[in-house]
Amino acid sequence: MKILVLVAHPNLEGSRINQRFAKELQSIENVTIHNLYEVYPDEKIDVAREQQLLLDHDRIVLQFPLYWYSSPSLLKKWQDEVLAYGFAYGSDGTKLHGKELLVAISTGGPNEAYQAGGYNNFTLSELLRPFQQTANLIGARYLPIYSVSSSFQLSDEQVEAGATAYAAHITREW
Ligand SMILES: Cc1cc2nc3c(=O)[nH]c(=O)nc-3n(C[C@H](O)[C@H](O)[C@H](O)COP(=O)(O)O)c2cc1C
């Protein structure tokens, strides 16, 4: 199984979690790391290249820090342009059928905030519904999300453990 990890962090150098998580994947066979903000500093996405990358892999991981309960904007632009009619949806848009989609996020807020009655009111699975339904529409199987909360409060040991667990989560059979 070939895994494509789209990392979408506008400031990976200043990142603690996503940088460490991406690094954890570097030495894993059959995992391609594709750092969108690094590849497209001008945010002009090469749609053909991105579609070919999708075709070449079986599992697509979207890795990003949660920004305003969603993804950083370049990943949204990527969705708007790459998941095109006739490729990802529409009567002939069957190219991604049978793929797997997995969302991996870090949040600033703590785990307990992401529930009914917590200050963010909704669970992460609820907030990420647009990704789930996008998977449905493009014929991909939506896999359980991976998340790390309280990003600013984590000890170095917790970040290390999170990186190990992340690698296991995205490479296992589901
Ligand atoms: C513009 C912006 C929006 C953010 N929105 C949220 C949010 O909606 N919920 C949340 O829990 N954290 C939010 N955060 C915190 C980030 O998710 C957090 O800084 C990030 O996950 C830490 O990962 P990193 O070390 O890889 O940067 C936001 C941060 C920024 C800069």
Side-chain angles (χ1 to χ4, degrees):
M1 179 182 54
K2 292 183 73 182
I3 303 173
L4 175 66
V5 182
L6 299 177
V7 179
H9 195 303
N11 177 23
L12 205 56
E13 267 133 58
S15 148
R16 184 167 179 236
I17 308 295
N18 285 274
Q19 187 184 149
R20 179 65 191 87
F21 282 18
K23 190 163 164 261
E24 185 72 15
L25 308 178
Q26 272 169 7
S27 54
I28 303 179
E29 216 184 330
N30 292 325
V31 173
T32 306
I33 304 169
H34 190 57
N35 183 349
L36 289 179
Y37 280 94
E38 189 182 282
V39 176
Y40 302 114
D42 57 1
E43 306 208 356
K44 290 203 175 83
I45 295 170
D46 181 341
V47 172
R49 175 186 182 185
E50 296 301 313
Q51 291 180 340
Q52 191 58 51
L53 271 172
L54 293 176
L55 294 173
D56 292 344
H57 293 81
D58 309 298
R59 178 176 291 175
I60 318 302
V61 178
L62 306 178
Q63 181 195 322
F64 53 89
L66 195 68
Y67 275 15
W68 289 109
Y69 309 107
S70 186
S71 68
S73 57
L74 186 56
L75 182 57
K76 180 61 166 64
K77 188 170 193 253
W78 180 94
Q79 292 172 70
D80 295 351
E81 297 181 6
V82 178
L83 303 179
Y85 180 80
F87 177 77
Y89 72 100
S91 52
D92 295 326
T94 57
K95 300 286 194 295
L96 302 177
H97 282 194
K99 306 270 182 202
E100 295 175 328
L101 187 78
L102 195 161
V103 174
I105 56 165
S106 60
T107 74
N111 215 16
E112 60 267 24
Y114 287 99
Q115 61 177 321
Y119 74 79
N120 283 321
N121 279 304
F122 302 100
T123 66
L124 291 172
S125 286
E126 287 170 329
L127 292 167
L128 295 169
R129 289 276 190 246
F131 292 96
Q132 182 178 359
Q133 179 50 22
T134 296
N136 286 341
L137 190 77
I138 67 176
R141 185 172 160 233
Y142 189 70
L143 299 180
I145 63 171
Y146 183 81
S147 67
V148 166
S149 304
S150 302
S151 293
F152 309 114
Q153 273 81 46
L154 296 182
S155 66
D156 290 347
E157 290 72 25
Q158 286 171 316
V159 175
E160 291 305 305
T164 307
Y166 172 51
H169 186 100
I170 68 153
T171 54
R172 60 165 274 191
E173 292 292 330
W174 287 98

